[in-house]
Amino acid sequence: MQKKSKVALWSGLTAVSAVLTAAAMVATFVVAPMYETTINVATNASTYRIIKGETEEDTNYFTSSFASDEERESYEDELCATVESEGAALLKNENAALPLASGAKVSLFARGSVDLMYGGTGSGAVDTSSAPTLKDALEAQGITVNQTLWDWYRSEDIASKYSRVTPDAISDALGANSQYGVNEAPWSEVESANASSFAEYGDAAIVVFSRSGGEGADLPSGDNGSGVEWTGDTNYLELSQEEKDLLAGLKALKDAGTFKSIVVLLNTSNALELDFLNPEICGVDYGIDSCLWIGDVGQTGANGVGMLLAGAVNPSGSLVDTFWYDNLANPAVTNFYSRPYSNNADYGFAADDKDNGNQGYYVVYQEGIYLGYRYAETRYEDYVMGTGNAGDFSYGTTVAYPFGYGDSYTTFGYSNFAVTEDADAFTINVTVTNTGSVAGKKTVQVYFQSPYTDYDKQNGIEKASVELCGFEKTAILEPGASENVTITVDKSELRTYDANGAKTYILDAGDYYFTVADGSHEAANNILAAKGYTPETTENRMDAAGDATLTYKYTNAALDTTTYATSEATGNAITNLFDDADPNKVSYSPGSVTWLSRSDWTATYPTGTFDFTMNDDLAAALANTHYDGSLADSVEMPTLGAEGDLTLASMIGAEYDDPQWESLLNQMTFDEMNLMITQGFHNTKAAASIGKTATKDENGPQGLTAALTGGASAMCYTSEDVMAATFNRDLINEVGRCIGEDCLAMGYSGLYGPGINMHRTAYSGRNFEYYSEDPFIAGEICASEVQGIQSMGVYVYLKHVALNDSESSRMGVNTWLNEQTAREIYLEVADKAVVDGGAWCTMSGFNRWGATWCGKYENLQTDYLRGELGMRGMSITDYSGGSHYMDSCDALIAGTEIWDSPTPLHTEILANYEDDAYIVTQMREATHKILYTVVNSNAMNGWSSADRLEVITPWWQLAAWTLCGVLAVLTVVCVVMLVKEIKKKKTMKAE
């Protein structure tokens, strides 16, 4: 019997093996090199080995204070809970509903109760799969939770139908703004399935209202008058109908005696509209007894919430945002979302064009300095005094809870208020006494008011009626106990920026007021009282009597335009830097803007009716690249690849301007510099010529997280707003130190964080990553956190500098604002974090200042960050893998050092300039800053000047090459066997 031919079999095997070989080769030799950095980071693959030399040097430059990982992790579990317990703010507490009685039996309502917001989404996302639930936290305090109701909300059926909806992570599409959804379970279903269990667990109905935010998409506000489509059809931050029905149903049960009280937890970093807490505002009495804002709770913050509800800890947090009855009353909302230029089509500018940076989209900060409480309190004061054409402004129906507000289970009183002055500062002393019956801490807040003068009005300077300028937190005070609190306010806090007259910081002539107050509104009323105003003398426009005894007046005799015209950090002169982001000043203006002004509130209030128009000069300014090579021969070509035996470890302890740096840099090759600069995705590259190790950098606004790169993460702390709401520098410094400890333990030297953008409105997708609407509290808390992180040899990248305050069209959106606003609001956090906190590095925003991307804005990167603040380290881009508008030549010239990119896009661009001495010189200076940062970090642990580095091929590359070889051999074998079978078949046919 003739054997059957195997030609078909070997033909198939040959085809399969050939395809697999081709695919493997393309992946290995074409695709993999494009993403080599990403693969190395994700696989933790080493690209070098250290050859140790003989030395007696102590190379443990940064060491842990913990004896073990277990000790560190246990300590951090408690620390996160402490932050939450000190940051959560008690807004309402009637009928002594909180704290819960010992052994109370409660029912938890709303999907948020079983699915807490621990943090936001995107690059700052963290793994909280092992985090305690709210039920766990309450039971740990002896509170019993309704298991029937808990199981129902947690069931797969209910979770599949009624879980909150969020956009895809980092979608960066305008349409994503409208994809958020509350999706709460209908009350009818809740009641029908669980009503029989309520009475047994009726000591309290605890309702958790959660809202999500995340990178790449802002929250929808509904129609805000702007006329753009991506505000969504509904307002995500008002209660949904299902949530209102839930409250109404609980109120009916409370009235029937089933529940003794209703407690609401606000589990969000995006401030909900709080009309539902006030029957006179919303028209419905929902019977809510208590309300506690808890923000995003972090990994173990739920335990802190449990302690607060059970009374184991007394609330002492204070709000760091204004909570409105209607968020649209915030003047920033009207122009919050990006808008298209009216004639984009004429220039071919399209929506969501990330690679070219959304040239055709803009946002205008028309509200100027009047952000949050700076608007509400200032317009209120003008309304009370009958100035500024304030209109019929009703503070009581506009603001639900002011900035700085936070109630307690006890009461406190102030006495012995006194202020002393010296040449540089004011010292405020006050005695705080616990006048209640429960032990607790008290946040002491100091506000000031500067005069709004004729000079200000003539020169377009705006002044808020009150500004936070100091704070401290007491120790735990037992009932009847007192503590003397001292707060120092540097005189520089009183300065204001004059962009049109002196074009520098000034101190106005006139009367300045200081006050100690429980929040911004009490501060405004205290200062009004010091001026002689009362509710009676203002026909009740003033809504409460202030306490003039808690105020101090300081008079500055004459306008001072010189004292603050020089940087204390660098000694350089300070003058206008950002006029080309002001549409009223730049030559290629797309249109004019009337900034909101207290000189005439009604006439200048944002209406959203203006439209900007693209023009040829503006379009040219928006081009991806401007450098034309004309400076190529303006300097001598730096030395490259010189022989030498210096290593980076040789520079430990050396100053930046040490002459030996030149010799070290001479040893580096062009390719080494190019890779180090352009492929800095979560790392800085190794350089064999100088024995530089690769470093690992990672995300970390809430703590170290490798969510994007697939690595291990550490403790997720609360959202940054909860950190700020503690008003406790020492506590957040300890948080920073522990984040640094995590980095040290897990091999990271750099941290993408803290986040330092502003809560411009409640609708920013990344508010959880940022501290506050107020730059003072944000800057002070950030500086403390930075000091803690960097004490462990971890360099921070403050992100994102600056104006990346929204997600809509964030990649390149044209941001227009005036210089006073930029300096006093949006750059102030960086100022404090760098000057006071010593922050090493910054990450630039995706956005543009006017027409110029942050990373290639020399006035920002060089003149401001280095020239005024004295920043020592490097500036990295935000993710730049495919972004042509983040041009490497232009940005190097401007002062950007490193690209957060895993692809060779920018590497290939710079390779074209190898013979351009000017660009190579910029590369050398960028490399110098990178190396100076790294040599002062924990990356040098274990390194001595005697050690050497040898480049090796990473394991995954060897594995890929091996796979290609094996597949190629298999293909050859298959081809050989196929040929043999074909010959056999021909022979068989011939026979």
Side-chain angles (χ1 to χ4, degrees), residues 260-597:
K260 295 177 182 177
S261 63
I262 299 173
V263 177
V264 171
L265 303 182
L266 304 176
N267 175 214
T268 175
S269 289
N270 302 87
L272 281 175
E273 296 181 345
L274 297 186
D275 57 325
F276 64 91
L277 292 180
N278 189 336
E280 294 183 4
I281 299 296
C282 72
V284 180
D285 184 357
Y286 290 113
I288 297 169
D289 298 282
S290 297
C291 181
L292 181 70
W293 172 76
I294 62 173
D296 291 354
V297 299
Q299 195 156 321
T300 59
N303 290 335
V305 176
M307 290 187 286
L308 289 168
L309 294 176
V313 176
N314 194 343
S316 62
S318 302
L319 291 177
V320 290
D321 291 315
T322 302
F323 274 65
W324 312 82
Y325 286 124
D326 178 353
N327 282 335
L328 300 193
N330 175 357
V333 173
T334 301
N335 293 296
F336 174 67
Y337 302 91
S338 65
R339 302 168 61 89
Y341 290 103
S342 59
N343 57 337
N344 270 346
D346 296 342
Y347 292 86
F349 293 156
D352 295 329
D353 184 4
K354 303 168 192 175
D355 288 353
N356 295 305
N358 291 311
Q359 303 107 312
Y361 286 77
Y362 68 92
V363 63
V364 181
Y365 287 27
Q366 190 181 1
E367 70 281 0
I369 70 162
Y370 296 112
L371 190 65
Y373 78 87
R374 281 171 166 78
Y375 163 69
E377 306 302 347
T378 309
R379 190 162 185 177
Y380 165 74
E381 182 187 58
D382 283 339
Y383 169 68
V384 170
M385 298 190 303
T387 57
N389 193 20
D392 189 19
F393 181 72
S394 175
Y395 188 96
T397 60
T398 302
V399 175
Y401 293 95
F403 174 92
Y405 184 86
D407 207 347
S408 171
Y409 298 152
T410 190
T411 56
F412 296 92
Y414 295 124
S415 60
N416 303 321
F417 174 79
V419 179
T420 57
E421 176 196 355
D422 61 29
D424 300 316
F426 299 93
T427 301
I428 293 93
N429 289 284
V430 68
T431 300
V432 181
T433 302
N434 185 340
T435 58
S437 58
V438 180
K441 291 185 174 185
K442 177 64 176 175
T443 296
V444 181
Q445 304 167 40
V446 176
Y447 294 82
F448 82 96
Q449 179 185 103
S450 57
Y452 185 48
T453 67
D454 289 339
Y455 179 88
D456 296 333
K457 297 171 186 176
Q458 292 163 8
N459 288 280
I461 299 170
E462 295 301 325
K463 296 282 189 67
S465 62
V466 291
E467 296 181 46
L468 183 71
C469 62
F471 61 88
E472 290 293 342
K473 200 161 197 177
T474 70
I476 296 175
L477 299 179
E478 296 295 329
S482 298
E483 181 178 324
N484 296 318
V485 175
T486 299
I487 298 173
T488 300
V489 177
D490 193 283
K491 283 187 174 178
S492 63
E493 292 296 338
L494 306 187
R495 67 183 184 175
T496 192
Y497 198 82
D498 175 9
N500 302 310
K503 297 186 177 180
T504 191
Y505 288 102
I506 66 169
L507 193 67
D508 257 317
D511 294 335
Y512 292 76
Y513 290 87
F514 292 92
T515 185
V516 167
D518 293 340
S520 61
H521 195 54
E522 189 172 289
N525 278 331
N526 286 352
I527 293 172
L528 282 167
K531 294 178 179 181
Y533 292 94
T534 67
E536 293 75 21
T537 62
T538 59
E539 297 179 332
N540 289 316
R541 294 193 301 277
M542 187 174 174
D543 55 21
D547 188 346
T549 67
L550 293 178
T551 65
Y552 170 83
K553 184 171 73 172
Y554 161 73
T555 301
N556 186 45
L559 174 68
D560 180 352
T561 62
T562 59
T563 300
Y564 303 110
T566 303
S567 166
E568 291 184 10
T570 66
N572 293 330
I574 298 174
T575 191
N576 285 17
L577 293 175
F578 310 117
D579 282 348
D580 45 6
D582 186 337
N584 295 337
K585 293 183 177 181
V586 69
S587 61
Y588 44 74
S589 173
S592 62
V593 173
T594 298
W595 306 113
L596 181 60
S597 174

Side-chain angles (χ1 to χ4, degrees), residues 612-726:
F612 276 179
T613 304
M614 183 64 62
N615 58 64
D616 292 345
D617 291 339
L618 175 56
L622 289 165
N624 289 340
T625 305
H626 290 92
Y627 179 67
D628 59 4
S630 60
L631 298 175
D633 300 322
S634 63
V635 296
E636 291 187 10
M637 178 66 75
T639 300
L640 299 170
E643 293 292 327
D645 58 3
L646 289 174
T647 66
L648 185 57
S650 305
M651 306 307 295
I652 293 174
E655 296 296 329
Y656 184 80
D657 57 0
D658 189 308
Q660 193 162 259
W661 278 109
E662 296 305 313
S663 300
L664 182 82
L665 290 165
N666 287 346
Q667 294 174 204
M668 294 193 68
T669 68
F670 177 87
D671 288 341
E672 284 178 325
M673 292 195 302
N674 192 4
L675 284 173
M676 193 178 297
I677 290 167
T678 61
Q679 294 194 32
F681 178 73
H682 294 249
N683 82 114
T684 66
K685 290 281 191 181
S689 68
I690 58 168
K692 179 203 173 292
T693 181
T695 67
K696 294 199 302 181
D697 301 342
E698 202 39 276
N699 280 300
Q702 286 183 257
L704 176 65
T705 171
L708 285 186
T709 56
S713 298
M715 168 58 68
C716 163
Y717 290 93
T718 67
S719 49
E720 285 192 5
D721 49 352
V722 177
M723 295 184 199
T726 66

